[in-house]
Amino acid sequence: MRDSFHGELSKINEILVRMTDLAQLAMDSATTALLTSDLTLAETVISGDAQIDALHRELEERSMDLLARQQPVAVDLRTIIGGLRMVSSLERMGDLARHVATIARMRYPDCAVPEELRPIFAEAAEVVDKIIVKTRDVLVERDVSLANEIARDDDRMDALHRELFDRVLDDNWAHGMEAAIDVTLLGRFYERYADHAVSLARRMVQLVTGVLPASA
C-alpha cells in the first residue's frame, strides 16, 4: 500500500516535469511564431495548450484522490499541496505562451513587433528559457541552490519589461496605437511567464526545505 502511495507521489512530480517541458516548448515556439510571422507555428502553440490543460486536470484529480484515500501528513501532505500550487503556475504559463501566439496569428502576415524591438523580445525569450530550464532542474534534481540564480534571471526580465514600456511611452514612438498595445501586452506576457516560473521554483524549495523563500 505504501509503495503504491509513493508511486502516486512520483507520478505527480512526473506530470509537473512534463508540463514544464511543454510550457518551455510553447513559449519558445510562440516567440518564433511572433518574430517570424509563422502562422502554422502559432496555430500549433494555440492548439497545443489543450495538452497542458489536460495534464493540469489529471494532476488535480490524482492529488484529490490521494488526499481523500490516504489522508497524508507531514512531507507527503506538503508534496501534494505543493504540487497543486505548482500546477496552477504551469497551466498559467501555458496560457501566456498561447496569448503570445494569438497575437502573432492576429497580426499575420505582418509582425506584431516593430523591427527595432525584436532584439528585446528575443532576449526576453532567452531569459525565460533560462529560467524554466533551471526551474526544471529544481523539480528533477531538487537543487534548491538554483533559486537565487532564478531570481537574478527574473531581475533581467523585469528590466527588459521596463525597457519596452519606456520605448512605447517615448515621444518618438512612431508605430501607432495598435502596435503600442501589442508590445505592451506582449511584454506583460513574458514578464508574467517568468514570474510564474519563479513562483514554481520557490514552491519546490519550500517542499524540499519546509521553508518558503522570501520573494524579491
Side-chain angles (χ1 to χ4, degrees):
M1 177 71 73
R2 199 64 184 166
D3 288 344
S4 175
F5 174 64
H6 282 288
E8 285 296 314
L9 290 180
S10 295
K11 182 63 178 178
I12 287 173
N13 197 67
E14 289 173 12
I15 293 173
L16 289 172
V17 173
R18 176 60 177 153
M19 289 180 71
T20 302
D21 290 339
L22 289 173
Q24 179 185 13
L25 177 61
M27 186 54 93
D28 182 65
S29 298
T31 301
T32 300
L34 176 69
L35 298 181
T36 65
S37 300
D38 188 328
L39 179 61
T40 300
L41 191 56
E43 294 284 6
T44 299
V45 174
I46 293 166
S47 62
D49 187 51
Q51 187 175 2
I52 295 177
D53 292 342
L55 288 170
H56 182 194
R57 291 191 296 271
E58 180 183 349
L59 187 144
E60 285 189 331
E61 290 168 1
R62 286 178 177 273
S63 297
M64 294 304 179
D65 183 62
L66 282 176
L67 288 171
R69 290 190 297 105
Q70 301 291 341
Q71 298 182 339
V73 296
V75 175
D76 292 339
L77 178 61
R78 196 163 71 219
T79 297
I80 296 172
I81 298 301
L84 287 169
R85 289 171 172 164
M86 288 186 281
V87 76
S88 295
S89 288
L90 285 164
E91 190 271 338
R92 186 59 184 147
M93 288 162 73
D95 287 344
L96 290 162
R98 174 169 52 82
H99 294 338
V100 172
T102 298
I103 289 181
R105 180 179 66 178
M106 184 168 56
R107 301 304 175 207
Y108 178 84
D110 297 323
C111 181
V113 179
E115 186 172 356
E116 68 268 23
L117 297 185
R118 291 173 201 172
I120 299 177
F121 279 99
E123 184 180 353
E126 291 176 2
V127 171
V128 296
D129 190 70
K130 186 186 300 184
I131 289 173
I132 198 168
V133 166
K134 291 176 183 177
T135 299
R136 187 186 194 279
D137 287 341
V138 174
L139 281 171
V140 175
E141 306 295 338
R142 302 202 167 197
D143 184 356
V144 298
S145 68
L146 290 173
N148 289 334
E149 290 185 27
I150 292 170
R152 286 193 295 270
D153 292 334
D154 187 49
D155 289 341
R156 180 55 187 159
M157 183 68 250
D158 290 341
L160 290 169
H161 184 225
R162 288 192 298 271
E163 182 177 355
L164 284 170
F165 197 67
D166 290 343
R167 296 283 285 273
V168 169
L169 292 178
D170 192 281
D171 290 340
N172 294 320
W173 178 261
H175 303 287
M177 184 60 68
E178 184 177 89
I181 292 172
D182 285 345
V183 168
T184 301
L185 286 174
L186 288 164
R188 180 62 172 164
F189 296 155
Y190 282 91
E191 189 259 346
R192 289 301 298 151
Y193 183 99
D195 284 349
H196 281 291
V198 171
S199 175
L200 178 63
R202 290 176 68 243
R203 290 295 179 186
M204 194 63 197
V205 171
Q206 182 186 33
L207 194 157
V208 173
T209 67
V211 178
L212 181 67
S215 58

